[in-house]
Amino acid sequence: MTVSRADGVVEWADFRNPHRRDRDYTGLGPYTFDERQAVAAISELRRALVAHGT
């Protein structure tokens, strides 16, 4: 998977699984997110994981 950021947008694309090379993920994505919302969601997840000792 590639993650790119430009002009306030985060994009997830080029999905693949190195453990299942025979699977086709071309129909998955790309997904785009507002950069501020994406950063806030990732920060919230990080805080929750730290709080739970994960």
Side-chain angles (χ1 to χ4, degrees):
M1 178 176 96
T2 59
V3 178
S4 59
R5 291 174 22 178
D7 301 323
V9 174
V10 175
E11 180 181 88
W12 296 356
D14 304 321
F15 292 89
R16 56 190 164 275
N17 183 340
H19 303 289
R20 303 212 190 291
R21 296 181 189 271
D22 59 329
R23 291 198 180 171
D24 180 13
Y25 294 96
T26 56
L28 187 61
Y31 298 103
T32 57
F33 308 93
D34 175 85
E35 183 176 9
R36 289 173 293 163
Q37 289 177 326
V39 169
I42 292 167
S43 296
E44 183 177 330
L45 174 60
R46 181 181 291 158
R47 281 192 299 275
L49 290 172
V50 168
H52 288 92
T54 307

